[in-house]
């Protein structure tokens, strides 16, 4: 069974600084995809970024980028120029196949200091 | 695109009562998922449907939980009888049944069973 591990329960970053959130996963599949979701206090789950395992290039969405290390089964999220609105819980998720079913990590709470 | 619509947003009920949570997926999405979020266990997949058919209900905790999808635009998750340990946030999500298609989440229902 696939597992997703987010070992850091909490992190803090100074506004305008850069922070990296870690995620590792375990799978025997070669073709899969990975996501980061953001959950602010409003509770809404918001897609931040996605990465397909067959792509060597790391995905980037504005201030958000990933460091995808397939051999190490690592998928970290880097947030540049952190803003107060980035404060939220962040979930790493794994999926494969055509059914869109995702396995989520336990999440990490990110706080941003003004 | 109205997004995934869940109701109610909050539900408070007494132990032993029946609870019904409702979900309207995004039009055109043919996969629907019910997740439960708790502090202890994080996000757990309860059940998912493809084209209105339940595909995997192995995450449903016990027989007190049931889910239906009578048509492409509506699904329910029912708990009968409810217990205090069922208190959690229940999310509905939908997606297209395609590889790497992301999940689109509703705002969740916070259930409190006293």
């Amino acid at each position: 069974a696939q597992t997703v591990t987010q070992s850091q329960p909490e992190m803090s970053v100074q506004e305008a600084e850069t922070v990296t959130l870690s995620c590792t996963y375990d799978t025997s599949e070669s073709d899969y995809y990975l996501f980061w979701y953001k959950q602010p206090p409003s509770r809404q789950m918001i897609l931040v970024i996605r990465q397909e395992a067959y792509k060597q290039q790391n995905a980037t969405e504005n201030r958000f980028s990933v460091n995808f290390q397939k051999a190490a089964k690592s998928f970290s999220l880097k947030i540049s120029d952190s803003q107060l609105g980035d404060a939220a819980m962040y979930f790493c998720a794994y999926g494969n196949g055509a059914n869109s079913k995702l396995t989520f990590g336990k999440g990490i709470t990110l706080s941003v200091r003004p | 695109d109205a997004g995934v619509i869940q109701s109610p947003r909050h539900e408070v009920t007494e132990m032993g009562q029946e609870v019904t949570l409702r979900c309207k997926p995004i039009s055109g999405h043919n996969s629907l998922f019910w997740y439960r979020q708790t502090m202890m266990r994080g996000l757990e997949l309860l059940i998912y449907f493809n084209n209105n058919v339940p595909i995997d209900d192995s995450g449903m905790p016990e027989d007190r939980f049931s889910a239906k999808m009578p048509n492409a635009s509506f699904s329910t998750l029912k708990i009968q009888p409810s217990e205090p340990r069922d208190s959690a946030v229940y999310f509905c999500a939908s997606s297209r049944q395609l590889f790497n298609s992301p999940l689109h989440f509703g705002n969740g229902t916070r259930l409190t069973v006293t």
Side-chain angles (χ1 to χ4, degrees):
Chain A
Q2 292 82 12
T3 58
V4 178
T5 302
Q6 295 179 253
S7 56
Q8 308 154 303
E10 297 179 353
M11 285 198 74
S12 180
V13 63
Q14 188 74 38
E15 193 176 6
E17 296 295 310
T18 295
V19 64
T20 299
L21 311 182
S22 301
C23 173
T24 59
Y25 57 94
D26 187 26
T27 183
S28 57
E29 303 290 334
S30 59
D31 201 10
Y32 52 88
Y33 41 95
L34 300 158
F35 298 94
W36 279 96
Y37 279 85
K38 170 185 177 182
Q39 186 179 40
S42 67
R43 205 166 72 202
Q44 177 71 42
M45 292 285 285
I46 302 166
L47 175 65
V48 175
I49 199 165
R50 83 175 86 178
Q51 174 81 43
E52 288 81 8
Y54 67 85
K55 291 185 178 178
Q56 292 187 336
Q57 186 173 8
N58 289 323
T60 299
E61 289 287 343
N62 300 313
R63 297 183 295 107
F64 298 87
S65 62
V66 301
N67 183 6
F68 174 50
Q69 302 289 328
K70 190 172 184 179
K73 296 180 181 176
S74 170
F75 181 60
S76 59
L77 174 70
K78 186 172 81 171
I79 306 174
S80 304
D81 186 24
S82 297
Q83 300 175 359
L84 295 178
D86 295 334
M89 198 155 186
Y90 287 82
F91 292 91
C92 177
Y94 165 98
N96 72 333
N99 60 28
S100 301
K101 184 175 72 170
L102 295 184
T103 300
F104 285 85
K106 287 288 182 68
I108 177 171
T109 300
L110 176 68
S111 58
V112 181
R113 304 186 301 275
Chain B
D1 183 353
V4 176
I5 300 173
Q6 288 188 249
S7 64
R9 185 156 174 81
H10 303 278
E11 177 78 36
V12 180
T13 191
E14 292 184 347
M15 182 174 62
Q17 296 298 306
E18 177 180 297
V19 175
T20 299
L21 311 181
R22 297 172 176 79
C23 175
K24 176 179 170 57
I26 292 173
S27 177
H29 285 189
N30 53 0
S31 293
L32 184 139
F33 304 79
W34 283 100
Y35 281 86
R36 178 171 68 176
Q37 184 179 24
T38 61
M39 288 291 292
M40 291 296 294
R41 303 167 83 104
L43 275 159
E44 304 172 278
L45 178 64
L46 300 178
I47 185 171
Y48 77 95
F49 297 81
N50 281 344
N51 297 315
N52 313 338
V53 176
I55 302 300
D56 182 356
D57 65 354
S58 59
M60 296 286 260
E62 48 198 272
D63 291 346
R64 297 184 298 106
F65 285 69
S66 63
K68 294 182 179 179
M69 191 165 186
N71 56 62
S73 59
F74 184 66
S75 177
T76 59
L77 178 68
K78 185 178 293 187
I79 308 172
Q80 166 64 23
S82 58
E83 297 182 3
R85 60 193 168 119
D86 302 330
S87 297
V89 177
Y90 291 81
F91 284 100
C92 175
S94 70
S95 74
R96 300 183 191 280
Q97 190 182 348
L98 297 172
F99 184 80
N100 90 350
S101 183
L103 296 186
H104 297 261
F105 284 82
N107 286 328
T109 294
R110 179 176 293 281
L111 173 65
T112 303
V113 183
T114 60

